[in-house]
Structures are given as C-alpha cells and as structure tokens.
Amino acid sequence: MSNSVRNTRVVVIGGSHLGRHLSESLTARGADVITASPRHGEHIDLADESSIKRFAEAAGEIDHVVSTAAMPANGPLDDLDAEGIRRAFDAKVVGPLLLAKHLRVTRSFTFFSGVAAWRPQRHRTVMATTNGAVKFLVEALAVELAPVRVNAVAPGIVDSGVWPADFLSTTADRNLTRNVGRPEDIAQAVLYAVTNPYVTGTVLHVDGGGRLAG
C-alpha cells in the first residue's frame, strides 16, 4: 500500500500542521501533491465557489482530494454569530459539496470529520454539528459520485504541538488506548482511505476510543 499513491495527483486542502504533514507523507510515497488553502500553496477558499471553480479549471484531472479544512465556531450559544456558523459549515459541508461539483476527480475524496460529533461538549455545538454532518455527506456523495469513492477520517485529540501537556495527559488517561494520536496516525488512516479500492461512504475513527470512553 505504501506505493499505491505513486505517480498519482493528489490535492491536499488546508494549511494546518496536519495538512502539511499529510502532504509530506504523500509526497514521500511518490504522489504529485498540490497543496491548496486560502493562504498557502494554490489559492482555494471553500467559502468562495468562484475560487474553487478557478482552481478546478487550472488543476485539470486529479486522482485524489483530501480536505482537512476546518473553521471552528466555538463558544456559548449566546456568543455565536451567523457568519461564524456559516464559515464552519462552508469548511466542512458546503465547501466539500462544491469541490465535488467542480473538481475533475477520478478516484477518491477524503474529508475530515472529528470526535466532537460523537462526543459533544458544552460550547462545542457547531463543531459537533458540522463534524456530524460530514458522516452523512460522504454517504450521499459516495452514492452520487460512484464509482469515485468518498470517505472521511474522524480524528480524536492529536498531539500536533498546540495542546498543553496536562490536557494531553488527561485525554490519554481517558482514552481506551491510553494514549493520544500523532500526526502519523492520522496520515495512515488517510492513506488507507485513499488507497483501499473497496472502501467508500465510510468514516474512519482514529480517536483511541475517545468517542466511547466514559
């Protein structure tokens, strides 16, 4: 499986640390990786259909698309605003629909959900809702786009350098695996989704059992 992306064209959307790690992992396995985001690499803004259309016209035929895009709108309900909520849905739901509409993809799409959908918390209502919507999005798109495959990866807490040590320790103690994720754990799940020709309409949970823990 390590060579199965060799000589394929893969678009990775999202400028996060995780997106960069995925791009490096795919490149190391011989893929021709195009990175895209509002600020890094090729320009694409999932809230702007015209930018998606321009990117699609320039990119031509693509084998795989991986979108790690997220725009959290966290906070108490009283503090939420409609614009922030719309941005969150643009990143996770509307944007992926427009990617599927415009990009000429021949093999697979992989989108990102998250453990927040299966373990909702106070002040994370929008995050839980948008991540949960991804589950139904990939099922519907898998039917719509077949035989192009559509899947999602739902990470738990990942030690990406942004979480404090005490939070990581507490999370590891709660998780069924007694650890937290690493970027390479998520990259392995993405590679599985991208390369397994018999998987579509599926959410791969990579959360150490965090969604099941009490």
Side-chain angles (χ1 to χ4, degrees):
M1 189 169 71
S2 63
N3 293 326
S4 58
V5 294
R6 185 172 299 280
N7 299 323
T8 62
R9 298 186 76 216
V10 184
V11 173
V12 177
I13 299 170
S16 66
H17 173 75
L18 182 56
R20 292 192 295 272
H21 184 88
L22 285 171
S23 296
E24 292 169 359
S25 296
L26 290 162
T27 299
R29 288 165 171 79
D32 175 15
V33 177
I34 303 167
T35 59
S37 75
R39 292 173 297 278
H40 304 286
E42 300 294 324
H43 178 75
I44 193 168
D45 182 349
L46 296 189
D48 178 6
E49 184 173 9
S50 63
S51 80
I52 296 172
K53 186 176 180 179
R54 286 193 298 271
F55 176 84
E57 291 170 348
E61 192 170 280
I62 300 161
D63 293 292
H64 306 283
V65 172
V66 180
S67 179
T68 69
M71 188 63 67
N74 296 327
L77 286 175
D78 288 347
D79 294 340
L80 296 178
D81 63 90
E83 182 180 353
I85 294 169
R86 281 192 289 267
R87 285 198 303 268
F89 274 89
D90 282 337
K92 291 283 189 176
V93 181
V94 180
L97 281 166
L98 295 175
L99 292 173
K101 173 184 176 180
H102 289 292
L103 296 184
R104 292 168 53 199
V105 175
T106 62
R107 299 192 187 185
S108 78
F109 287 91
T110 303
F111 300 116
F112 268 57
S113 179
V115 70
W118 285 265
R119 194 180 176 86
Q121 298 181 24
R122 285 171 52 83
H123 303 166
R124 298 291 187 270
T125 298
V126 177
M127 178 182 286
T129 304
T130 55
N131 280 294
V134 174
K135 166 182 164 56
F136 298 102
L137 174 68
V138 299
E139 291 177 351
L141 282 178
V143 174
E144 183 85 10
L145 299 178
V148 173
R149 299 179 300 103
V150 186
N151 295 293
V153 172
I157 299 299
V158 176
D159 185 2
S160 58
V162 300
W163 298 108
D166 57 344
F167 175 75
L168 292 175
S169 177
T170 300
T171 301
D173 289 343
R174 187 190 70 220
N175 283 345
L176 302 184
T177 56
R178 302 298 186 263
N179 62 354
V180 294
R182 305 164 300 164
E184 48 265 44
D185 298 324
I186 310 307
Q188 286 181 23
V190 171
L191 282 168
Y192 176 82
V194 167
T195 58
N196 192 313
Y198 205 48
V199 175
T200 194
T202 296
V203 178
L204 303 176
H205 294 279
V206 192
D207 60 11
R211 72 192 184 283
L212 307 173

